[in-house]
Structure formats: structure tokens, C-alpha cells
Amino acid sequence: MLDIQKIRADFPILSEKVNGKPLVYFDNGATSQKPQIVIDAIATYYQEINANIHRGVHTLSQLATDAYEISRVKIQHHINAKFSHEVLFTSGTTHGINLVTNGFASILKPGDEVIVSSLEHHSNIVPWQMLCEKTGATLKVIPMDENGELIMNAFDALLSEKTKVVTVNHISNALGIINPIKYMIEKAHAVGAAVLIDGAQAVPHLKPDVQDLDCDFYAFSGHKMCGPTGTGILYGKEEWLNKLPPYQGGGEMIKEVTFEKTTYADLPHKFEAGTPNIAGGIVLGTAVDYLNHIGFHNIQKQEEKLLEHATKRLLEIEGLKIYGTGKNKASVVSFNIDGIHPYDIGSIIDKLGIAVRTGHHCAQPIMNFFCIPGTIRASFSFYNTIEEIDIMVEAVKKAKTMLS
Ligand SMILES: *Cc1c(COP(=O)(O)O)cnc(C)c1O
């Protein structure tokens, strides 16, 4: 069993007071907190080895390059990619998805179809819409049911030889539902479509195995998995990364430049134009080490306990409805109370030191489906406790009394 108090001591912010109350941080779905080892690693980079990478022959440049490339290999092993050049550093999930949609602009033709799910974050809707507008391809949407689960019969029916890309999140940020992506990837491949998985909400909770999943692309952000903001990874299968054109032009991504013609660098540099977030990329590796040191088995056990307790305790409140009631769920509870705007509850409990997210969670189509303006979303991490959930439940009860 995890020693939660010992783990909490790794995160300096967790002992802060907010509005005079001990912080209860349940907005992990928006961004996770950072352990001291990650915070320190950022300073250490700038204090000891700061230099530009892949360019200089001087010692610091080589040290920085080595640390950056070691981090890439660490992440390769973490997600079980076949080659380290299939692991691209990005600024986050949004960047990774746009890199792919930009590449498909030269592949898709009018009449082709792109399938997205109704559970997507705006980051995994809008770039595909823009791509369809540009190419004349058609966007198709996998519907969901009242439990917040994607309807697999409907997905099967959407697939055809016209389908060129299928994209879906591994775990829904708004509802916490875990999607049956392995099934979906197999089905999409059977009609020859490429598959992008938005793993932003999955990587804090589990270790994805991209070879076992057999996905073509897997995008995620560092900041939701204890890493720095402005970091992320796009995994792409070698054959796809070779096929797609570069995203941005600039330094680092070239082999030779003349005014007549430029040839591009080999993978992964072809997709890494300009000076990257060097410190961030290195420290993302530190965050991955930290999570593996805690152990994903332990993380899942603790988070399951939190989810179960929160679901049970919240449902004690009369008029409270939870959205996303499917069986396979990550530690996210999205809820509303009859007749009360989610924002009002969020503001009152914030005064009590409790950080939750209220609103549409960048997933307006889901809110439209349920005919609601938004929800209150409590998203738990392994460093949260049962006591904190009890504090939140009491605070929500208090807010309900004040508002009704
Ligand atoms: C957070 C999130 C994103 C966007 O991530 P950024 O870090 O803002 O680029 C995309 N998809 C899902 C499911 C998310 O939770």
C-alpha cells in the first residue's frame, strides 16, 4: 500500500492554504501538481548544463543533448515504442494533434471520411474540422449513450473504405470514461484507416503500450502527468512519420538548405523545428521516472479507492446526478445538483479551499448531449485522500443549502 502522507510531502503545494483553508486539489484533470524532484530538475538544468542541443561541439551542448535524448529513450521505453525516433517532443497534446492533422492535409481527398467520437476534447475536434474544411473530407461522429459510453454498433456502421482516419481519446476528460480503444483500433485498421489516440487523460493513470495497442499515433501532455507545462509527446509509427510532411520549417529539421531546394532531416528531427523546450523535455523524463517509482499499479489502486468513495458519498446528496456512469472509469466524477448552476457550487467550495473545475471542460458537445451548461468535475490523483473527499462532500452539502 502507498504511504500517502509520505507521497504528499513530495508535493510542496499540497501543504499550502488557499482562502485560509488547507488546499484540497481536485483539478488534476486540468493539470497535475509537481513533485519537488521535478521542480528541482528544472533549476538544475539551468544551473548546470543549459546550452542549445544538437548543434555545438562544446561540452555543455553535448551534455544538454545527451540529457534530452536520454529522456526521449526513457519515454520510448515507458510507452513501449519500437524506436526512439518514433517519439517526438511537442509542446503538448494540442501540438501533437495539429502536427498530424497538418500532415494529413496533403493525403486526404474530397469524399474521404474522418471519424471522431462525441466524447472528444475540443483539441481533438477542431483540428480535424479544419482539416476537413481544407481537404473536402467529411467528419463523422461516433454517438454516445446516456452512460457516457461510445456506441460501438454505431462506430462499426460508420466504418467503410472511405474512412481514412479514426480519432478518439483513451480516457474522456469530461466524464472519465475509458474507451475501448483496442477494439476500435483493430476495427479501423480492418478498413485501412489510421488511428490517433488522444492519451492526455490516460497517461496520469496508466502506462500505454503503443505496440500492443497498435495505434498509429498517440498524443499526450507532460503537465497532466507531474511534468512541466509546455511539454508533450507525439508517438507516431515510423512508416506514418516518414509519409507525413514536416509540420513547421526552420532550423534543426533540415539536412541541407539552398534557395533551390531543402532536404529534411531524418526522424525525429524532421518534426522538431526550432529550439525546443529543452529543460521541459528533460524534466518530462524525470516526471516519468517519478510516476514509475510510485508504480502505476499502486496509482490505480489508490485512485480506484478514491473514485469509489467519492461516487458513494456524493450520491448521498439528494438531487445530485453523476454524468459518465459507464463501468470503465478513471478517477473523475462529473456531477450537478438539480436546479443549481455548477459555477455557483464551484465558487462557494473554492472559498473553502477546494479546487474543482466547473464548466464544459473543453467538451461542449458532451454538455449539449446532456442538455446542461456544464458540470462540476472533481478529478483525483494518487496523492489525494479519502479525508479530502469527505471535506468536499461536506462543502458541496453546505453550498447546496446556501443556494437552494
Ligand atoms: C488536456 C487535454 C487535451 C489538451 O491538452 P493540452 O495540454 O492543453 O494541449 C486534449 N485532450 C484531452 C482529453 C485533454 O484532457
Side-chain angles (χ1 to χ4, degrees), residues 234-263:
L234 176 71
Y235 159 79
K237 269 188 196 163
E238 183 186 58
E239 54 171 302
W240 271 114
L241 295 181
N242 280 329
K243 218 179 293 181
L244 297 186
Y247 182 35
Q248 294 180 313
E252 185 83 5
M253 52 77 74
I254 53 91
K255 203 168 256 161
E256 256 180 292
V257 178
T258 66
F259 282 109
E260 288 68 43
K261 183 161 178 55
T262 291
T263 50

Side-chain angles (χ1 to χ4, degrees), residues 29-31 90-97 119-124 168-174 198-202 219-224 229-232 357 361-362 377:
T31 198
T90 64
S91 67
T93 308
T94 306
H95 175 186
I97 294 169
L119 281 177
E120 296 315 298
H121 188 285
H122 295 163
S123 285
N124 203 29
V168 61
N169 56 41
H170 196 163
I171 298 183
S172 152
N173 63 302
D198 171 353
Q201 290 295 330
F220 58 96
S221 301
H223 69 94
K224 292 177 181 173
T229 53
T231 65
R357 176 101 185 255
H361 319 298
C362 300
R377 182 189 69 183

Side-chain angles (χ1 to χ4, degrees), residues 174 323 334-336 342 357-361 367 372-377:
Y323 300 90
S334 216
F335 62 95
N336 268 333
R357 176 101 185 255
T358 61
H360 55 60
H361 319 298
M367 305 302 136
I372 51 176
T375 69
I376 301 152
R377 182 189 69 183

Side-chain angles (χ1 to χ4, degrees), residues 100-376:
V100 174
T101 58
N102 177 77
F104 270 92
S106 61
I107 293 177
L108 295 192
K109 308 248 168 332
D112 287 345
E113 293 180 355
V114 172
I115 298 181
V116 303
S117 98
S118 49
L119 281 177
E120 296 315 298
H121 188 285
H122 295 163
S123 285
N124 203 29
I125 300 174
V126 181
W128 298 104
Q129 270 173 336
M130 290 163 64
L131 171 65
C132 287
E133 262 168 38
K134 215 183 286 176
T135 59
T138 309
L139 195 74
K140 299 276 174 174
V141 184
I142 311 163
M144 61 191 268
D145 65 17
E146 280 293 320
N147 294 323
E149 289 179 318
L150 295 176
I151 302 170
M152 283 302 112
N153 288 341
F155 170 59
D156 294 347
L158 284 176
L159 289 168
S160 74
E161 74 286 351
K162 289 188 206 154
T163 313
K164 293 296 177 269
V165 189
V166 172
T167 183
V168 61
N169 56 41
H170 196 163
I171 298 183
S172 152
N173 63 302
L175 306 178
I177 296 290
I178 305 173
N179 290 310
I181 59 167
K182 202 163 171 189
Y183 171 88
M184 296 174 76
I185 292 163
E186 213 179 294
K187 285 283 184 166
H189 283 167
V191 298
V195 184
L196 180 143
I197 302 296
D198 171 353
Q201 290 295 330
V203 288
H205 308 294
L206 55 86
K207 218 170 127 118
D209 182 331
V210 293
Q211 287 190 76
D212 177 57
L213 288 170
D214 198 28
C215 53
D216 302 288
F217 303 99
Y218 194 100
F220 58 96
S221 301
H223 69 94
K224 292 177 181 173
M225 56 185 308
C226 296
T229 53
T231 65
I233 295 294
L234 176 71
Y235 159 79
K237 269 188 196 163
E238 183 186 58
E239 54 171 302
W240 271 114
L241 295 181
N242 280 329
K243 218 179 293 181
L244 297 186
Y247 182 35
Q248 294 180 313
E252 185 83 5
M253 52 77 74
I254 53 91
K255 203 168 256 161
E256 256 180 292
V257 178
T258 66
F259 282 109
E260 288 68 43
K261 183 161 178 55
T262 291
T263 50
Y264 304 129
D266 294 330
L267 295 174
H269 308 295
K270 172 182 157 189
F271 289 102
E272 296 182 345
T275 300
N277 180 353
I278 303 169
I282 294 170
V283 176
L284 181 53
T286 312
V288 164
D289 281 343
Y290 178 80
L291 290 172
N292 280 313
H293 170 73
I294 306 264
F296 280 88
H297 178 70
N298 292 325
I299 288 172
Q300 280 160 20
K301 261 176 97 177
Q302 171 69 2
E303 291 178 346
E304 272 166 30
K305 246 178 33 186
L306 296 168
L307 175 66
E308 197 186 309
H309 187 73
T311 306
K312 184 175 117 247
R313 291 268 1 244
L314 283 168
L315 288 174
E316 288 171 8
I317 302 174
E318 221 184 281
L320 186 143
K321 180 176 154 88
I322 292 177
Y323 300 90
T325 47
K327 289 182 300 290
N328 260 334
K329 261 186 82 168
S331 50
V332 173
V333 193
S334 216
F335 62 95
N336 268 333
I337 296 179
D338 247 0
I340 304 179
H341 199 282
Y343 177 82
D344 295 336
I345 297 191
S347 315
I348 292 180
I349 70 174
D350 170 57
K351 298 281 181 295
L352 301 169
I354 301 160
V356 291
R357 176 101 185 255
T358 61
H360 55 60
H361 319 298
C362 300
Q364 274 178 350
I366 301 181
M367 305 302 136
N368 295 343
F369 174 83
F370 288 114
C371 300
I372 51 176
T375 69
I376 301 152

